[in-house]
Amino acid sequence: MKAIRRFTVRTVLPEQLHPLHELALNLRWSWHPETRELFRSVDPGVWESVGEDPVRLLGEVPAARLAALAADRRFLRRLGDLADDLHDYLGAPRWYQAARSPGESALPAAIAYFSPEYGIAAALPQYSGGLGILAGDHLKAASDLGVPIIGVGLLYRHGYFRQSLTREGWQQERYPLLDPDELAVTPLREADGTPCRVDLTLPAGRTLAAQIWKAQVGRVPLLLLDSDIDANAAAERDVTDRLYGGGSEHRLLQEMLLGIGGVRAVRTFCRLTGHPAPEVFHTNEGHAGFLGIERIRELVAEQQGGPEGGPDFAAALESVRAGTLFTTHTPVPAGIDRFDRELVARHFGGDAALPGVPVDQVLALGLESWPGGDPKLFNMAVMGLRLAQRANGVSTLHGEVSRSMFGALWPGFDPAEVPITSVTNGVHAPTWVDPQVLRLGAAEIGAERTEDALASGATERWTGVERIGDAEIWEVRRALRGQLVEEARRRVRASWRQRGAGDAELGWTGSVLDPEVLTIGFARRVPSYKRLTLMLRDPDRLRGLLLHPTRPVQLVVAGKAHPADDGGKRLIQQLVSFADDPAVRHRIVFLPDYDMAMAKHLYPGCDVWLNNPLRPLEACGTSGMKAALNGCLNLSVLDGWWDEWYDGRNGWAIPTADAPGFTEEHRDDIEAAALYDLIEHQVAARYYDRGTDGLPHRWIAMVRHTLVTLGPKVLAGRMVREYVERLYAPAALAQRELAGDGARLLAGWKARVREAWPAVRVEHVDAAGPAEAPELGSSLALRAQVALGSLTAGDVEVQVVSGEVDESDRIGEAEVQTLKPVGGPDLDGRQRYEGTLELSRTGPFGYTVRVLPTHPLLASPAELGLVALPAESAGMDAGVLR
């Protein structure tokens, strides 16, 4: 018989144990070992059975056990100490408070951070993969540093999916219902106790309402919007049913709720709590891009001025752009959300229109306006870029890829000048470093220094780790590998039971893997570009590596394919089929249901972390960072973060065959062969190269080098500090500079420049220099005649761009210098500019002259996407020196 309604009855804690409730509802426990150990001691058996979830633990511990703890003085002392420690953590000044001194106004009072998913802890399953884990680590690091961030997301009642396998190895999905009463969240309430909610107007007179839940991530509040409430009709209740589920309109409604509803949730939270209003809004990927539309609506409503689409909208757009940061995580156009233009028009026009925000203005923001773009589609990433004055990719290489991918938004500029920078991702070390590794560092450099080093990311080297002995490092590595082997055996046994095997068939699972064998890990989502099955390219070669008589390797593999991706599911099935072979199943395992709980065993327990994507399609790839923090070495294609920080001593680089002309099949063959050779002749050879004491000293030296030099770089603390100093602070200043009439004046200036720009041109360029062939160190006197139309010399900057040229006379590694106006404009509005060009390099050399708009409030010379170059007859060819 099925219940018609389901809810959770919570335990009433004895008064002495009330601090347990506070500790359970602050997700700091997920990265604070002492608090987790306290909860484990409440009831080790129940702690294990509830998946190490404090909220569920307190709901299932027998009353008798709680009564006993309430009378246990030792337990109560520990509880009191940890409650005091949490209060100190929440209230004491940290890095941000020291940087934002009373007289210092550069740093924003608050930042709102929007993401469609968050990987905070396995007990709050609101994530699918790297984007969510990154967002969770961002909030945790911000908390540790005292950065005043407000997180915003959605509360998915089914989360992502749980994965299992059929007997044939085909992925199956199930979506267990999540009860908010069993999660570390609390409802945000008005002063009269009623739950807070936000409402969005939909077409045909419908309304999408959402309740606001708050998760507390250390010092950072995370607001989660939930549409599964009685106020909604059935279709609207399902908007937040599951992560990345449903059709196009379902996804659009999710993203409208995240962006528009998220801004309204932030306003509600600040009104109720007195939290400073955000000066900066950070859009983590394009899913939350509609937040900019809502902020424009707010500003237009405040202005209560001119006509729709007129100066008020334009001024509001400039104000919103100044305080917005857009982070892109995808290196391929296929990874961007694109909606049918008519679908978006229906949800932002007619009776669903936002007051003061005309639908044509909304549609223009997402228009693929460049040659080859699809005018029938609305591009969320393009809207995100147009609504943000600052944008970044998530590794140095990904920044380069993004500048090329989105370069059409800035026609006339070389990719290097496209205003998209990069901040390389990082990972939250207190979450991902195994306690044994933490103790290893603390024993040598002190617990307090170790904790500070893991949290801050403020140093280039972890000094002191060099002093840790080889024997100590190796003993920890062996213990962690042994833990992984035991966990893998347990999971393999459970998986085979799910696949229909009986106990009589499972005796072999007790000897799966060997705690002394070189262990390679591979775990991630399973889109085709990550190449889960590259290792299967030559099955006989792989078997030879697994079964080598003296230098065997073993593989631990995990990953989920999107429920709609049958191609990814087939890759998993191929891998599982190989791993099921009785000849090798003791050396290779596939572990279903990859999540944060599994990851915490995988990263520390593996000796080598494998990553073999198609370069350059891995935006960053943070799993290898987490492995490195535990002394695991990386074996990876030079993509994402590894392209940036591989130094030849912290792991191995898999050669790539990405030159033009290679077919995908040929490329996979070449790179798989290189992978096999590396494992056999370098990785395994070094691992099994033992000294007379039985230790692999050269291997341990690589582990130590990784911890000392790579450890500080991969920290989320380093990443968040970069965001604060390079992006949040400038955005806050730009936002303030547009206060009063600033935004209206900037919008008016931009409109005037855009209207006048067709008349701007470089009419003539000449140069005077040595009579003979120019030599290194000589110079050219440049003169340019520029037509400005209705603009003035103060509206533009005239530049000479020079550098080495290729066979087609394209300038590379360009240097830019400004030419100065001479005299005033003539009667036709032409202005003369002059300057000197130093010939500072030998070989083929060229230059050109260009005109750009300039204004003190522009974040980049390319911001307007406007540039005037010489006509072809007077341009690059005339300026080439050989």
Side-chain angles (χ1 to χ4, degrees):
M1 187 177 299
K2 188 175 181 180
I4 63 170
R5 188 178 177 195
R6 181 182 187 276
F7 53 89
T8 298
V9 180
R10 288 190 170 181
T11 300
V12 177
L13 293 175
E15 183 178 354
Q16 299 93 323
L17 301 182
H18 280 182
L20 281 174
H21 186 65
E22 180 183 11
L23 291 173
L25 287 179
N26 192 310
L27 287 156
R28 187 199 181 213
W29 62 258
S30 67
W31 72 90
H32 194 250
E34 292 84 356
T35 304
R36 290 201 303 276
E37 179 56 32
L38 177 78
F39 282 119
R40 190 200 67 81
S41 70
V42 168
D43 191 315
V46 175
W47 177 246
E48 184 73 22
S49 69
V50 299
E52 301 186 357
D53 180 347
V55 174
R56 292 181 59 200
L57 169 79
L58 297 182
E60 297 188 22
V61 172
R65 174 58 178 162
L66 293 175
L69 291 172
D72 185 333
R73 292 183 179 178
R74 179 176 297 178
F75 181 86
L76 293 177
R77 279 197 299 272
R78 289 176 62 200
L79 175 58
D81 289 344
L82 287 171
D84 290 343
D85 180 75
L86 176 61
H87 294 157
D88 289 343
Y89 174 85
L90 297 177
R94 306 188 76 80
W95 169 79
Y96 195 86
Q97 286 67 44
R100 196 178 192 272
S101 59
E104 173 60 60
S105 62
L107 299 184
I111 303 104
Y113 181 91
F114 287 62
S115 178
E117 53 174 300
Y118 289 91
I120 308 293
L124 188 63
Q126 302 291 304
Y127 61 94
S128 72
L131 178 68
I133 302 299
L134 180 278
D137 282 6
H138 194 109
L139 297 194
K140 294 174 186 176
S143 174
D144 290 341
L145 294 170
V147 180
I149 279 182
I150 303 171
V152 183
L154 301 180
L155 181 71
Y156 304 96
R157 287 300 183 102
H158 293 280
Y160 201 42
F161 67 89
R162 305 301 301 272
Q163 179 195 49
S164 60
L165 301 174
T166 67
R167 186 78 183 206
E168 295 74 31
W170 188 256
Q171 173 180 292
Q172 291 185 312
E173 302 92 26
R174 59 188 177 89
Y175 293 87
L177 180 66
L178 300 175
D179 182 352
D181 287 334
E182 291 183 338
L183 303 176
V185 297
T186 55
L188 191 64
R189 297 186 182 277
E190 297 286 353
D192 62 2
T194 58
C196 296
R197 62 178 248 196
V198 297
D199 291 348
L200 274 65
T201 301
L202 301 181
R206 296 179 295 135
T207 298
L208 171 59
Q211 181 177 348
I212 307 170
W213 298 88
K214 181 175 73 72
Q216 194 65 38
V217 187
R219 299 165 69 109
V220 173
L222 170 58
L223 309 179
L224 301 171
L225 298 174
D226 172 20
S227 70
D228 188 12
I229 60 176
D230 292 340
N232 283 327
E236 283 71 46
R237 291 189 73 149
D238 286 343
V239 166
T240 57
D241 60 347
R242 60 186 60 174
L243 182 59
Y244 302 142
S248 185
E249 183 167 15
H250 186 87
R251 289 287 295 275
L252 177 63
L253 290 175
Q254 284 191 339
E255 299 188 5
M256 289 175 62
L257 182 60
L258 175 60
I260 299 171
V263 172
R264 295 176 185 179
V266 168
R267 303 306 187 202
T268 300
F269 175 77
C270 292
R271 170 175 58 83
L272 292 172
T273 64
H275 193 289
E279 294 184 273
V280 176
F281 285 74
H282 185 173
T283 308
N284 192 37
E285 197 46 91
H287 310 285
F290 289 122
L291 71 87
I293 304 295
E294 169 64 10
R295 292 175 60 217
I296 289 173
R297 182 203 64 78
E298 291 180 328
L299 290 170
V300 171
E302 289 174 9
Q303 292 164 1
Q304 297 178 348
E308 288 188 352
D312 282 342
F313 181 94
L317 173 60
E318 293 305 327
S319 182
V320 165
R321 290 187 72 255
T324 301
L325 167 65
F326 175 73
T327 297
T328 175
H329 291 261
T330 179
V332 289
I336 296 170
D337 277 343
R338 300 159 84 205
F339 297 106
D340 184 273
R341 181 180 171 87
E342 292 305 314
L343 177 66
V344 177
R346 190 162 67 249
H347 283 80
F348 284 90
D351 60 351
L354 293 174
V357 185
V359 64
D360 61 320
Q361 298 279 13
V362 176
L363 295 175
L365 290 168
L367 177 65
E368 296 186 354
S369 55
W370 54 87
D374 190 337
K376 296 180 181 179
L377 294 179
F378 184 93
N379 189 309
M380 292 295 292
V382 167
M383 178 181 68
L385 289 165
R386 286 178 173 147
L387 283 170
Q389 195 178 49
R390 289 163 180 79
N392 71 285
V394 290
S395 69
T396 298
L397 179 60
H398 180 233
E400 296 174 10
V401 171
S402 299
R403 288 188 286 275
S404 294
M405 190 166 82
F406 295 111
L409 290 172
W410 294 272
F413 291 89
D414 290 338
E417 296 180 297
V418 169
I420 300 176
T421 186
S422 61
V423 175
T424 302
N425 282 345
V427 297
H428 185 245
T431 295
W432 299 108
V433 174
D434 190 271
Q436 293 190 63
V437 178
L438 191 62
R439 287 193 292 270
L440 180 67
E444 185 60 48
I445 62 178
E448 187 172 333
R449 281 189 58 209
T450 301
E451 183 175 341
D452 288 343
L454 290 176
S456 70
T459 181
E460 294 183 1
R461 290 174 64 89
W462 280 348
T463 55
V465 175
E466 299 101 324
R467 299 192 295 271
I468 301 174
D470 284 8
E472 289 84 357
I473 291 175
W474 188 243
E475 184 56 36
V476 168
R477 294 296 316 145
R478 290 184 70 244
L480 295 173
R481 195 183 315 111
Q483 287 181 5
L484 173 59
V485 168
E486 289 302 313
E487 179 69 9
R489 289 173 179 174
R490 183 185 70 80
R491 288 179 178 267
V492 168
R493 192 176 303 116
S495 174
W496 273 91
R497 285 201 180 99
Q498 285 184 319
R499 296 173 69 184
D503 288 343
E505 302 175 74
L506 298 179
W508 62 275
T509 61
S511 57
V512 162
L513 306 182
D514 183 330
E516 300 301 326
V517 167
L518 170 63
T519 304
I520 300 175
F522 181 102
R524 52 196 28 89
R525 292 183 302 109
V526 190
S528 59
Y529 78 87
K530 291 182 182 283
R531 298 194 292 184
L532 169 73
T533 55
L534 186 69
M535 63 184 76
L536 302 182
R537 198 74 185 169
D538 184 341
D540 290 337
R541 185 83 186 270
L542 179 57
R543 288 190 191 93
L545 293 172
L546 297 173
L547 303 176
H548 194 285
T550 58
R551 297 201 302 265
V553 302
Q554 57 193 14
L555 282 161
V556 182
V557 185
K560 292 178 176 179
H562 188 279
D565 182 9
D566 283 351
K569 293 179 183 180
R570 279 191 289 273
L571 296 178
I572 290 175
Q573 189 175 41
Q574 292 170 25
L575 193 288
V576 172
S577 177
F578 182 89
D580 284 351
D581 183 350
V584 296
R585 64 187 182 186
H586 63 300
R587 286 282 188 264
I588 179 170
V589 296
F590 180 86
L591 306 182
D593 209 26
Y594 178 48
D595 65 359
M596 292 182 72
M598 182 193 296
K600 289 189 177 184
H601 291 279
L602 281 177
Y603 300 137
C606 292
D607 299 293
V608 174
W609 197 255
L610 173 62
N611 189 32
N612 46 233
L614 282 168
R615 188 180 190 272
L617 302 186
E618 184 81 278
C620 185
T622 58
S623 60
M625 295 179 171
K626 298 160 197 162
L629 282 173
N630 287 282
C632 178
L633 304 178
N634 276 267
L635 170 61
S636 177
V637 166
L638 288 173
D639 201 1
W641 74 275
W642 190 237
D643 179 75
E644 195 170 333
W645 289 331
Y646 166 68
D647 68 3
R649 298 170 58 197
N650 52 15
W652 295 269
I654 303 171
T656 53
D658 50 3
F662 281 107
T663 66
E664 187 174 321
E665 290 288 309
H666 190 198
R667 179 174 179 174
D668 284 354
D669 286 339
I670 293 173
E671 295 184 12
L675 173 61
Y676 298 137
D677 285 343
L678 273 173
I679 292 174
E680 180 176 6
H681 300 300
Q682 295 191 39
V683 180
R686 179 156 295 193
Y687 178 86
Y688 289 105
D689 177 19
R690 306 296 168 93
T692 55
D693 54 4
L695 299 179
H697 292 284
R698 292 201 304 156
W699 183 279
I700 296 169
M702 293 181 71
V703 171
R704 185 184 289 106
H705 176 75
T706 293
L707 293 172
V708 170
T709 62
L710 192 56
K713 294 178 181 177
V714 302
L715 296 182
R718 183 270 313 155
M719 172 189 73
V720 171
R721 289 168 67 108
E722 282 195 46
Y723 273 111
V724 168
E725 295 166 351
R726 293 177 46 205
L727 294 166
Y728 294 164
L733 287 175
Q735 172 78 23
R736 295 168 196 164
E737 287 176 336
L738 294 185
D741 282 343
R744 181 182 58 81
L745 293 173
L746 179 60
W749 177 85
K750 284 189 175 183
R752 180 169 61 85
V753 168
R754 288 190 179 103
E755 182 179 3
W757 201 255
V760 176
R761 58 189 180 275
V762 180
E763 293 191 338
H764 179 72
V765 178
D766 63 49
E772 303 296 330
E775 297 179 346
L776 182 68
S778 61
S779 61
L780 300 177
L782 294 181
R783 293 179 294 274
Q785 194 82 5
V786 178
L788 297 179
S790 61
L791 299 181
T792 69
D795 294 321
V796 302
E797 182 173 301
V798 178
Q799 300 175 337
V800 56
V801 182
S802 63
E804 183 179 355
V805 293
D806 60 18
E807 293 180 355
S808 62
D809 291 340
R810 297 287 302 177
I811 298 174
E813 299 183 10
E815 295 182 2
V816 176
Q817 65 186 76
T818 301
L819 299 179
K820 301 296 184 182
V822 177
D826 62 21
L827 294 177
D828 295 321
R830 291 188 295 262
Q831 175 70 53
R832 187 158 58 96
Y833 288 82
E834 294 182 356
T836 301
L837 175 61
E838 302 290 339
L839 304 183
S840 58
R841 67 178 72 193
T842 57
F845 184 86
Y847 68 88
T848 190
V849 173
R850 68 181 181 183
V851 187
L852 304 175
T854 185
H855 191 283
L857 294 180
L858 296 182
S860 159
E863 183 171 321
L864 273 72
L866 298 176
V867 59
L869 295 164
E872 186 174 353
S873 60
M876 188 76 69
D877 291 342
V880 174
L881 308 176
R882 296 185 183 278

